[in-house]
Amino acid sequence: MELTRTDKEMRDGKFGRLSAEAMDFLIKFGEAYDARNMIDLDYAYVYLADINIWRKNSNSHDLLEEVKKEKVKCRIPTTSWIVGTEIDRGLYVQNCYPQESIDQIDKETEICRELGIICINTCTPYLVGDMATPALGSHIASIESSAVTYFNSIQGTRCNRDGISAFFASLTGRYPNFGMHLDENRKGKYLFDIKAELNDSADYSALGYYIGKVSGLDVPVLKGLGRPSVEEAQKLCSAMAVGGAVSLAHIIGVTPEAPNEEAAFHGDRPVEIFKVTNKEIETVYDEFHSSVDDIHFVCLGCPHASIHDLKKYAELYDGRRVADNVTVWVMTAPQNIFLAESCGFSRILKNAGVTLLSTCPMVNPGTPGPIHTFTNREYSVGNFATNSMKLVYYARNCMRPGKTFLGRAEKCVESSISGKWL
Ligand code: F3S
Protein backbone atom coordinates (compact mmCIF):
# COMPACT_ATOMS: atom_id res chain seq x y z
CA MET A 1 0.00 0.00 0.00
CA GLU A 2 1.23 3.52 -0.80
CA LEU A 3 2.17 5.35 2.39
CA THR A 4 3.27 8.92 2.91
CA ARG A 5 6.38 9.76 4.84
CA THR A 6 4.25 10.80 7.81
CA ASP A 7 2.30 7.52 7.68
CA LYS A 8 5.58 5.62 7.90
CA GLU A 9 7.00 7.82 10.64
CA MET A 10 3.83 7.37 12.63
CA ARG A 11 3.92 3.61 12.20
CA ASP A 12 7.58 3.59 13.27
CA GLY A 13 6.83 5.40 16.51
CA LYS A 14 7.88 9.00 15.88
CA PHE A 15 4.60 10.24 17.40
CA GLY A 16 4.46 7.78 20.30
CA ARG A 17 3.44 4.22 20.96
CA LEU A 18 -0.34 4.70 20.76
CA SER A 19 -0.18 6.49 17.40
CA ALA A 20 2.18 3.76 16.13
CA GLU A 21 -0.26 1.06 17.23
CA ALA A 22 -3.06 2.96 15.49
CA MET A 23 -1.19 3.38 12.21
CA ASP A 24 0.07 -0.20 12.23
CA PHE A 25 -3.51 -1.43 12.67
CA LEU A 26 -4.83 0.79 9.86
CA ILE A 27 -2.12 -0.36 7.45
CA LYS A 28 -2.83 -4.03 8.15
CA PHE A 29 -6.56 -3.36 7.98
CA GLY A 30 -6.10 -1.71 4.57
CA GLU A 31 -3.88 -4.53 3.30
CA ALA A 32 -6.53 -7.07 4.27
CA TYR A 33 -8.99 -5.19 2.04
CA ASP A 34 -6.51 -4.56 -0.79
CA ALA A 35 -6.50 -0.79 -0.23
CA ARG A 36 -4.00 0.93 -2.52
CA ASN A 37 -3.45 4.00 -0.38
CA MET A 38 -4.51 5.89 2.73
CA ILE A 39 -6.76 8.97 2.67
CA ASP A 40 -7.24 11.98 4.93
CA LEU A 41 -10.37 11.97 7.03
CA ASP A 42 -12.51 14.93 8.10
CA TYR A 43 -14.22 13.46 11.12
CA ALA A 44 -14.45 10.36 13.32
CA TYR A 45 -17.21 9.04 15.54
CA VAL A 46 -15.76 6.55 18.01
CA TYR A 47 -16.57 4.19 20.87
CA LEU A 48 -13.85 4.26 23.50
CA ALA A 49 -14.50 0.81 24.94
CA ASP A 50 -13.39 -0.70 21.60
CA ILE A 51 -9.73 -0.17 22.48
CA ASN A 52 -9.98 -2.31 25.61
CA ILE A 53 -11.73 -5.04 23.67
CA TRP A 54 -9.06 -4.83 20.96
CA ARG A 55 -6.24 -5.04 23.48
CA LYS A 56 -7.97 -7.88 25.26
CA ASN A 57 -6.66 -7.53 28.82
CA SER A 58 -6.39 -3.77 28.82
CA ASN A 59 -8.45 -1.38 30.95
CA SER A 60 -9.30 2.30 30.79
CA HIS A 61 -7.04 3.21 33.69
CA ASP A 62 -3.96 2.02 31.74
CA LEU A 63 -5.12 3.80 28.60
CA LEU A 64 -5.64 7.05 30.50
CA GLU A 65 -2.10 6.86 31.90
CA GLU A 66 -0.74 6.14 28.43
CA VAL A 67 -2.62 9.03 26.83
CA LYS A 68 -1.40 11.42 29.53
CA LYS A 69 2.19 10.23 29.28
CA GLU A 70 2.33 10.47 25.49
CA LYS A 71 0.29 13.68 25.37
CA VAL A 72 -1.45 12.27 22.33
CA LYS A 73 -4.41 14.17 20.82
CA CYS A 74 -6.96 13.20 18.20
CA ARG A 75 -5.92 14.63 14.82
CA ILE A 76 -9.38 15.27 13.37
CA PRO A 77 -12.70 16.48 14.84
CA THR A 78 -13.96 13.50 16.83
CA THR A 79 -17.07 12.74 18.82
CA SER A 80 -17.69 9.72 21.00
CA TRP A 81 -20.49 7.49 22.20
CA ILE A 82 -19.37 6.75 25.75
CA VAL A 83 -22.73 5.42 26.80
CA GLY A 84 -24.31 7.00 29.77
CA THR A 85 -24.04 10.45 31.29
CA GLU A 86 -24.85 12.06 34.61
CA ILE A 87 -28.46 12.03 33.44
CA ASP A 88 -28.57 8.26 33.72
CA ARG A 89 -26.86 7.88 37.11
CA GLY A 90 -30.13 7.46 39.01
CA LEU A 91 -30.98 4.61 36.71
CA TYR A 92 -27.62 2.93 37.20
CA VAL A 93 -28.21 2.89 40.94
CA GLN A 94 -31.79 1.68 40.55
CA ASN A 95 -30.64 -1.18 38.33
CA CYS A 96 -27.69 -2.15 40.54
CA TYR A 97 -25.31 -1.36 37.71
CA PRO A 98 -21.86 -2.49 38.92
CA GLN A 99 -19.74 0.31 40.40
CA GLU A 100 -16.71 -0.76 38.39
CA SER A 101 -18.70 -0.21 35.19
CA ILE A 102 -19.66 3.29 36.31
CA ASP A 103 -15.99 3.96 37.12
CA GLN A 104 -15.12 2.72 33.64
CA ILE A 105 -17.49 5.26 32.06
CA ASP A 106 -15.91 8.05 34.13
CA LYS A 107 -12.43 6.98 33.02
CA GLU A 108 -13.47 6.88 29.38
CA THR A 109 -14.90 10.37 29.69
CA GLU A 110 -11.58 11.55 31.13
CA ILE A 111 -9.64 9.90 28.30
CA CYS A 112 -11.82 11.71 25.76
CA ARG A 113 -11.11 15.00 27.50
CA GLU A 114 -7.37 14.31 27.34
CA LEU A 115 -7.53 13.35 23.67
CA GLY A 116 -9.72 16.32 22.70
CA ILE A 117 -12.70 14.13 21.79
CA ILE A 118 -16.16 15.60 22.30
CA CYS A 119 -18.38 13.22 24.27
CA ILE A 120 -21.76 13.62 22.63
CA ASN A 121 -23.06 10.44 24.25
CA THR A 122 -25.61 9.57 21.65
CA CYS A 123 -25.98 7.04 18.85
CA THR A 124 -27.32 9.84 16.61
CA PRO A 125 -24.30 12.13 16.11
CA TYR A 126 -25.92 13.57 12.98
CA LEU A 127 -28.72 15.07 15.11
CA VAL A 128 -26.69 16.99 17.63
CA GLY A 129 -24.52 19.67 16.18
CA ASP A 130 -22.19 20.73 13.45
CA MET A 131 -19.15 18.91 14.85
CA ALA A 132 -20.88 15.77 13.66
CA THR A 133 -22.02 16.94 10.24
CA PRO A 134 -19.03 17.07 7.90
CA ALA A 135 -19.46 18.33 4.36
CA LEU A 136 -20.93 16.34 1.49
CA GLY A 137 -18.48 13.87 -0.07
CA SER A 138 -16.06 14.01 2.83
CA HIS A 139 -14.45 10.85 4.13
CA ILE A 140 -15.13 9.95 7.74
CA ALA A 141 -14.83 6.95 10.09
CA SER A 142 -17.78 5.87 12.16
CA ILE A 143 -18.96 3.24 14.60
CA GLU A 144 -22.68 2.44 15.03
CA SER A 145 -24.32 0.80 12.04
CA SER A 146 -27.38 3.07 12.05
CA ALA A 147 -25.18 6.18 11.97
CA VAL A 148 -23.02 4.73 9.18
CA THR A 149 -26.05 4.11 6.98
CA TYR A 150 -27.41 7.58 7.76
CA PHE A 151 -24.07 9.26 7.04
CA ASN A 152 -23.71 7.50 3.67
CA SER A 153 -27.33 7.61 2.53
CA ILE A 154 -28.67 10.91 3.81
CA GLN A 155 -25.65 13.14 4.31
CA GLY A 156 -23.58 11.87 1.40
CA THR A 157 -20.45 11.47 3.52
CA ARG A 158 -18.42 8.30 3.01
CA CYS A 159 -17.69 5.71 5.68
CA ASN A 160 -17.45 1.99 6.38
CA ARG A 161 -18.94 0.12 9.31
CA ASP A 162 -16.07 0.78 11.69
CA GLY A 163 -15.15 -0.44 15.15
CA ILE A 164 -11.70 0.14 16.66
CA SER A 165 -10.67 1.43 13.22
CA ALA A 166 -12.65 4.63 13.91
CA PHE A 167 -10.71 5.29 17.11
CA PHE A 168 -7.38 4.65 15.39
CA ALA A 169 -8.46 6.85 12.48
CA SER A 170 -9.15 9.64 14.98
CA LEU A 171 -5.61 9.33 16.38
CA THR A 172 -3.96 9.36 12.95
CA GLY A 173 -6.39 11.34 10.78
CA ARG A 174 -5.88 8.63 8.15
CA TYR A 175 -7.83 5.67 6.82
CA PRO A 176 -7.22 2.94 4.20
CA ASN A 177 -9.02 3.72 0.98
CA PHE A 178 -11.47 0.83 0.53
CA GLY A 179 -15.14 -0.10 0.80
CA MET A 180 -17.63 2.77 0.84
CA HIS A 181 -14.82 5.29 0.31
CA LEU A 182 -14.50 4.18 -3.31
CA ASP A 183 -16.90 5.25 -6.06
CA GLU A 184 -17.21 1.77 -7.56
CA ASN A 185 -18.55 0.32 -4.30
CA ARG A 186 -21.27 2.95 -4.12
CA LYS A 187 -23.04 1.75 -7.23
CA GLY A 188 -26.66 0.62 -6.71
CA LYS A 189 -27.45 -3.07 -7.23
CA TYR A 190 -31.18 -3.64 -6.59
CA LEU A 191 -34.13 -1.35 -7.29
CA PHE A 192 -36.93 -1.22 -4.72
CA ASP A 193 -40.07 0.32 -6.14
CA ILE A 194 -41.93 1.50 -3.03
CA LYS A 195 -45.71 1.26 -3.39
CA ALA A 196 -46.46 0.68 0.30
CA GLU A 197 -48.32 3.28 2.36
CA LEU A 198 -45.95 4.54 5.04
CA ASN A 199 -47.70 6.48 7.80
CA ASP A 200 -45.30 6.41 10.72
CA SER A 201 -41.57 6.11 11.31
CA ALA A 202 -42.20 2.53 12.53
CA ASP A 203 -43.40 1.73 8.99
CA TYR A 204 -40.04 3.00 7.69
CA SER A 205 -38.40 0.74 10.23
CA ALA A 206 -40.30 -2.27 8.87
CA LEU A 207 -39.49 -1.22 5.30
CA GLY A 208 -35.79 -0.89 6.16
CA TYR A 209 -35.71 -4.35 7.67
CA TYR A 210 -37.27 -5.86 4.54
CA ILE A 211 -34.85 -4.02 2.23
CA GLY A 212 -31.87 -4.97 4.41
CA LYS A 213 -32.86 -8.63 4.37
CA VAL A 214 -33.05 -8.68 0.59
CA SER A 215 -29.93 -6.55 0.01
CA GLY A 216 -27.49 -8.10 2.49
CA LEU A 217 -24.17 -6.29 1.95
CA ASP A 218 -25.19 -4.69 -1.36
CA VAL A 219 -26.42 -1.20 -2.19
CA PRO A 220 -30.20 -0.90 -2.60
CA VAL A 221 -31.83 1.93 -4.57
CA LEU A 222 -35.19 3.16 -3.30
CA LYS A 223 -37.67 4.74 -5.70
CA GLY A 224 -41.03 6.26 -4.78
CA LEU A 225 -40.14 7.14 -1.20
CA GLY A 226 -40.61 10.90 -1.57
CA ARG A 227 -38.76 12.92 1.04
CA PRO A 228 -38.70 11.10 4.38
CA SER A 229 -38.41 13.20 7.52
CA VAL A 230 -35.23 12.98 9.60
CA GLU A 231 -37.01 10.60 11.99
CA GLU A 232 -38.27 8.39 9.16
CA ALA A 233 -34.84 8.32 7.54
CA GLN A 234 -33.27 7.40 10.89
CA LYS A 235 -35.58 4.43 11.35
CA LEU A 236 -35.17 3.33 7.74
CA CYS A 237 -31.37 3.46 7.90
CA SER A 238 -31.07 1.69 11.25
CA ALA A 239 -33.35 -1.15 10.15
CA MET A 240 -31.52 -1.69 6.84
CA ALA A 241 -28.37 -2.22 8.89
CA VAL A 242 -30.20 -4.83 10.99
CA GLY A 243 -32.11 -6.76 8.32
CA GLY A 244 -28.84 -6.91 6.37
CA ALA A 245 -25.52 -5.12 6.59
CA VAL A 246 -26.43 -2.19 4.38
CA SER A 247 -24.02 0.75 4.69
CA LEU A 248 -25.47 2.83 1.86
CA ALA A 249 -28.89 3.04 0.26
CA HIS A 250 -29.60 5.45 -2.55
CA ILE A 251 -32.93 7.14 -2.00
CA ILE A 252 -33.73 8.75 -5.33
CA GLY A 253 -34.00 12.51 -4.92
CA VAL A 254 -32.74 12.44 -1.32
CA THR A 255 -29.27 10.85 -1.31
CA PRO A 256 -27.06 13.67 -2.61
CA GLU A 257 -25.27 11.47 -5.14
CA ALA A 258 -28.51 9.92 -6.41
CA PRO A 259 -30.69 12.64 -7.96
CA ASN A 260 -32.05 10.02 -10.40
CA GLU A 261 -31.89 6.28 -11.16
CA GLU A 262 -29.14 6.69 -13.73
CA ALA A 263 -26.84 8.29 -11.16
CA ALA A 264 -27.72 5.70 -8.50
CA PHE A 265 -26.84 2.77 -10.82
CA HIS A 266 -23.83 4.59 -12.30
CA GLY A 267 -25.47 4.44 -15.72
CA ASP A 268 -26.10 0.70 -15.47
CA ARG A 269 -29.31 -1.28 -14.93
CA PRO A 270 -30.52 -2.84 -11.65
CA VAL A 271 -29.65 -6.51 -11.19
CA GLU A 272 -33.19 -7.12 -9.90
CA ILE A 273 -36.32 -5.07 -9.23
CA PHE A 274 -38.51 -5.57 -6.15
CA LYS A 275 -41.97 -4.06 -5.76
CA VAL A 276 -42.71 -3.25 -2.11
CA THR A 277 -46.37 -3.15 -1.13
CA ASN A 278 -48.21 -3.03 2.20
CA LYS A 279 -47.98 -6.83 2.24
CA GLU A 280 -44.19 -6.80 2.69
CA ILE A 281 -44.49 -4.24 5.50
CA GLU A 282 -47.18 -6.24 7.30
CA THR A 283 -45.06 -9.39 6.99
CA VAL A 284 -42.29 -7.69 8.98
CA TYR A 285 -44.77 -6.54 11.65
CA ASP A 286 -46.11 -10.09 11.84
CA GLU A 287 -42.61 -11.57 12.23
CA PHE A 288 -41.97 -9.53 15.38
CA HIS A 289 -45.43 -9.63 16.72
CA SER A 290 -47.07 -11.78 19.34
CA SER A 291 -50.76 -12.19 20.10
CA VAL A 292 -52.44 -9.65 22.39
CA ASP A 293 -51.11 -9.79 25.94
CA ASP A 294 -49.99 -7.72 28.92
CA ILE A 295 -46.94 -5.59 28.29
CA HIS A 296 -44.26 -4.75 30.85
CA PHE A 297 -41.56 -2.71 29.15
CA VAL A 298 -41.95 -0.13 26.38
CA CYS A 299 -39.03 1.61 24.69
CA LEU A 300 -39.26 4.54 22.30
CA GLY A 301 -36.22 6.21 20.76
CA CYS A 302 -34.00 3.72 18.96
CA PRO A 303 -31.98 5.25 17.37
CA HIS A 304 -32.14 8.12 19.85
CA ALA A 305 -35.31 10.20 19.55
CA SER A 306 -35.15 13.62 17.92
CA ILE A 307 -36.60 16.67 19.66
CA HIS A 308 -39.61 16.39 17.30
CA ASP A 309 -40.13 12.81 18.48
CA LEU A 310 -40.02 14.03 22.09
CA LYS A 311 -42.62 16.68 21.29
CA LYS A 312 -44.84 14.00 19.78
CA TYR A 313 -44.45 11.65 22.76
CA ALA A 314 -45.15 14.53 25.18
CA GLU A 315 -48.38 15.32 23.28
CA LEU A 316 -49.44 11.67 23.36
CA TYR A 317 -48.76 11.33 27.11
CA ASP A 318 -50.00 14.77 28.18
CA GLY A 319 -52.23 14.45 31.27
CA ARG A 320 -52.15 10.66 31.18
CA ARG A 321 -50.37 7.97 33.18
CA VAL A 322 -48.48 4.80 32.34
CA ALA A 323 -50.09 1.66 33.86
CA ASP A 324 -48.63 0.59 37.21
CA ASN A 325 -46.97 -2.59 36.01
CA VAL A 326 -45.42 -1.01 32.89
CA THR A 327 -42.02 0.69 32.56
CA VAL A 328 -41.58 3.18 29.72
CA TRP A 329 -38.18 4.42 28.59
CA VAL A 330 -37.69 7.15 26.02
CA MET A 331 -34.07 7.29 24.85
CA THR A 332 -32.55 10.43 23.39
CA ALA A 333 -29.34 12.42 23.19
CA PRO A 334 -28.38 14.37 26.35
CA GLN A 335 -28.55 17.53 24.24
CA ASN A 336 -32.20 16.77 23.49
CA ILE A 337 -32.96 16.16 27.16
CA PHE A 338 -31.70 19.66 27.77
CA LEU A 339 -33.98 21.01 25.03
CA ALA A 340 -36.91 18.90 26.19
CA GLU A 341 -36.56 20.41 29.65
CA SER A 342 -36.70 23.95 28.34
CA CYS A 343 -39.67 23.10 26.09
CA GLY A 344 -41.61 21.48 28.96
CA PHE A 345 -41.70 18.02 27.33
CA SER A 346 -39.65 16.42 30.12
CA ARG A 347 -42.12 17.50 32.78
CA ILE A 348 -45.07 16.06 30.85
CA LEU A 349 -43.28 12.76 30.29
CA LYS A 350 -42.15 12.54 33.90
CA ASN A 351 -45.66 13.24 35.18
CA ALA A 352 -46.91 10.42 32.96
CA GLY A 353 -44.40 8.04 34.57
CA VAL A 354 -42.04 7.94 31.59
CA THR A 355 -38.26 7.84 32.11
CA LEU A 356 -36.22 9.99 29.73
CA LEU A 357 -32.64 8.80 29.46
CA SER A 358 -29.56 9.15 27.32
CA THR A 359 -28.48 5.55 27.02
CA CYS A 360 -30.45 2.52 25.82
CA PRO A 361 -31.28 -0.93 27.14
CA MET A 362 -28.97 -2.65 24.67
CA VAL A 363 -25.73 -1.01 25.66
CA ASN A 364 -26.17 0.21 29.24
CA PRO A 365 -27.23 0.01 32.00
CA GLY A 366 -29.45 -3.01 31.76
CA THR A 367 -33.18 -3.16 31.78
CA PRO A 368 -35.75 -2.38 34.47
CA GLY A 369 -35.81 -4.57 37.51
CA PRO A 370 -33.77 -5.28 40.58
CA ILE A 371 -30.79 -6.80 38.79
CA HIS A 372 -28.80 -5.78 35.75
CA THR A 373 -29.96 -8.05 32.92
CA PHE A 374 -26.61 -8.84 31.44
CA THR A 375 -25.29 -10.18 34.72
CA ASN A 376 -28.32 -12.27 35.58
CA ARG A 377 -29.12 -15.03 33.15
CA GLU A 378 -32.49 -15.72 34.72
CA TYR A 379 -33.81 -12.19 34.41
CA SER A 380 -36.35 -11.24 31.75
CA VAL A 381 -37.69 -7.80 30.85
CA GLY A 382 -41.15 -9.32 30.51
CA ASN A 383 -43.27 -8.58 27.47
CA PHE A 384 -41.57 -5.91 25.41
CA ALA A 385 -42.97 -3.31 22.99
CA THR A 386 -41.25 -0.73 20.80
CA ASN A 387 -41.65 1.25 17.59
CA SER A 388 -38.11 0.36 16.48
CA MET A 389 -37.28 -2.58 14.27
CA LYS A 390 -33.68 -2.47 15.43
CA LEU A 391 -34.59 -2.63 19.09
CA VAL A 392 -37.17 -5.38 18.80
CA TYR A 393 -34.66 -7.44 16.84
CA TYR A 394 -31.93 -7.03 19.44
CA ALA A 395 -34.35 -7.39 22.33
CA ARG A 396 -35.27 -10.85 21.09
CA ASN A 397 -31.65 -11.88 21.12
CA CYS A 398 -30.28 -10.07 24.15
CA MET A 399 -32.96 -8.98 26.61
CA ARG A 400 -34.80 -12.26 27.16
CA PRO A 401 -38.24 -10.76 26.66
CA GLY A 402 -41.41 -12.78 27.08
CA LYS A 403 -43.36 -11.68 24.03
CA THR A 404 -42.32 -8.87 21.69
CA PHE A 405 -44.48 -6.26 20.00
CA LEU A 406 -43.51 -3.93 17.17
CA GLY A 407 -45.91 -1.09 16.49
CA ARG A 408 -46.37 2.57 15.68
CA ALA A 409 -45.61 5.15 18.38
CA GLU A 410 -49.30 5.85 19.10
CA LYS A 411 -49.96 2.17 19.62
CA CYS A 412 -46.97 1.80 21.96
CA VAL A 413 -48.13 4.79 24.01
CA GLU A 414 -51.78 3.69 24.23
CA SER A 415 -50.72 0.17 25.15
CA SER A 416 -48.40 1.44 27.90
CA ILE A 417 -51.34 3.31 29.40
CA SER A 418 -53.74 0.38 29.24
CA GLY A 419 -51.06 -2.18 30.19
CA LYS A 420 -52.11 -4.41 27.27
CA TRP A 421 -50.97 -4.53 23.66
CA LEU A 422 -54.01 -3.09 21.92
FE1 F3S B 1 -29.01 3.63 19.69
FE2 F3S B 1 -29.28 1.69 21.42
FE3 F3S B 1 -30.77 1.76 19.32
S1 F3S B 1 -27.38 2.54 20.70
S2 F3S B 1 -29.51 2.68 17.74
S3 F3S B 1 -30.79 3.29 20.97
S4 F3S B 1 -29.86 -0.07 20.18
Side-chain angles (χ1 to χ4, degrees):
M1 184 165 38
E2 279 169 38
L3 300 174
T4 63
R5 197 171 75 188
T6 312
D7 292 340
K8 289 178 193 159
E9 286 175 347
M10 205 177 275
R11 179 198 57 195
D12 297 340
K14 184 174 175 186
F15 303 96
R17 209 187 71 86
L18 189 54
S19 301
E21 181 183 2
M23 183 53 84
D24 184 58
F25 174 93
L26 292 169
I27 292 169
K28 288 179 178 147
F29 188 39
E31 284 169 353
Y33 284 94
D34 290 330
R36 281 211 218 119
N37 60 327
M38 303 277 272
I39 47 174
D40 286 333
L41 293 189
D42 294 306
Y43 162 75
Y45 171 49
V46 306
Y47 183 47
L48 252 277
D50 281 338
I51 178 88
N52 295 329
I53 298 165
W54 161 248
R55 288 178 166 182
K56 298 201 174 74
N57 297 322
S58 149
N59 63 54
S60 293
H61 176 77
D62 295 343
L63 180 62
L64 179 60
E65 293 306 307
E66 192 177 347
V67 166
K68 279 182 174 168
K69 193 169 146 225
E70 297 200 358
K71 297 192 172 41
V72 57
K73 300 278 174 212
C74 59
R75 288 182 168 242
I76 48 176
T78 303
T79 59
S80 78
W81 176 208
I82 293 278
V83 182
T85 62
E86 281 300 323
I87 293 161
D88 308 309
R89 290 299 152 107
L91 201 72
Y92 294 168
V93 173
Q94 186 188 319
N95 286 332
C96 304
Y97 195 54
Q99 185 58 42
E100 65 263 32
S101 301
I102 297 176
D103 294 344
Q104 178 83 357
I105 290 169
D106 290 339
K107 277 274 178 317
E108 287 173 7
T109 306
E110 215 181 324
I111 294 168
C112 283
R113 217 174 289 131
E114 286 291 329
L115 287 168
I117 294 174
I118 312 283
C119 298
I120 52 174
N121 288 308
T122 172
C123 54
T124 55
Y126 46 86
L127 289 184
V128 298
D130 62 358
M131 86 285 271
T133 52
L136 172 67
S138 53
H139 296 269
I140 66 172
S142 179
I143 53 134
E144 175 51 54
S145 61
S146 65
V148 167
T149 318
Y150 194 98
F151 279 134
N152 277 307
S153 312
I154 308 297
Q155 290 196 332
T157 46
R158 298 182 168 212
C159 58
N160 291 325
R161 289 161 65 110
D162 288 301
I164 185 64
S165 46
F167 179 63
F168 286 155
S170 160
L171 297 181
T172 60
R174 302 279 283 166
Y175 193 89
N177 196 10
F178 76 95
M180 284 297 133
H181 294 277
L182 296 171
D183 280 345
E184 63 259 35
N185 295 328
R186 299 178 73 86
K187 177 180 166 181
K189 183 161 182 184
Y190 304 121
L191 179 66
F192 290 85
D193 189 6
I194 317 292
K195 301 287 185 203
E197 257 180 72
L198 304 168
N199 298 314
D200 181 273
S201 57
D203 298 342
Y204 284 78
S205 216
L207 171 68
Y209 182 73
Y210 169 76
I211 292 173
K213 246 182 148 176
V214 174
S215 305
L217 280 163
D218 294 315
V219 178
V221 176
L222 282 55
K223 176 177 135 183
L225 205 57
R227 297 186 68 78
S229 67
V230 166
E231 294 75 18
E232 290 161 352
Q234 243 191 319
K235 286 279 197 297
L236 176 76
C237 289
S238 65
M240 285 190 291
V242 167
V246 171
S247 301
L248 161 68
H250 291 302
I251 304 170
I252 302 292
V254 173
T255 304
E257 67 206 75
N260 50 46
E261 272 183 59
E262 200 195 348
F265 288 104
H266 294 194
D268 225 332
R269 297 170 70 83
V271 168
E272 207 171 338
I273 300 174
F274 300 90
K275 194 160 139 192
V276 187
T277 64
N278 290 351
K279 191 172 141 249
E280 281 71 33
I281 305 297
E282 290 309 326
T283 307
V284 175
Y285 277 116
D286 288 347
E287 187 181 333
F288 288 91
H289 229 315
S290 308
S291 52
V292 174
D293 205 340
D294 290 345
I295 56 171
H296 306 107
F297 186 29
V298 177
C299 275
L300 301 168
C302 168
H304 276 174
S306 72
I307 190 66
H308 301 286
D309 277 332
L310 297 183
K311 176 172 177 272
K312 178 176 173 175
Y313 301 152
E315 284 165 2
L316 289 168
Y317 276 113
D318 197 3
R320 311 175 77 194
R321 185 84 200 156
V322 167
D324 285 344
N325 57 343
V326 178
T327 299
V328 180
W329 281 9
V330 172
M331 293 91 64
T332 189
Q335 299 82 347
N336 282 339
I337 293 183
F338 205 67
L339 265 181
E341 270 160 18
S342 62
C343 295
F345 307 150
S346 299
R347 184 180 38 80
I348 295 171
L349 292 170
K350 198 172 166 208
N351 288 344
V354 172
T355 302
L356 197 56
L357 67 160
S358 71
T359 177
C360 94
M362 285 319 306
V363 282
N364 265 333
T367 42
I371 305 285
H372 184 265
T373 304
F374 300 140
T375 58
N376 179 359
R377 292 187 185 285
E378 306 308 315
Y379 184 71
S380 162
V381 296
N383 293 343
F384 176 73
T386 179
N387 63 342
S388 163
M389 184 60 241
K390 175 170 180 173
L391 199 52
V392 77
Y393 182 87
Y394 283 130
R396 277 210 171 162
N397 293 305
C398 307
M399 283 156 53
R400 288 178 289 284
K403 292 181 174 179
T404 56
F405 301 96
L406 173 67
R408 297 174 180 134
E410 282 81 355
K411 193 160 173 169
C412 290
V413 169
E414 293 307 321
S415 299
S416 74
I417 289 164
S418 73
K420 276 208 176 305
W421 187 250
L422 299 173

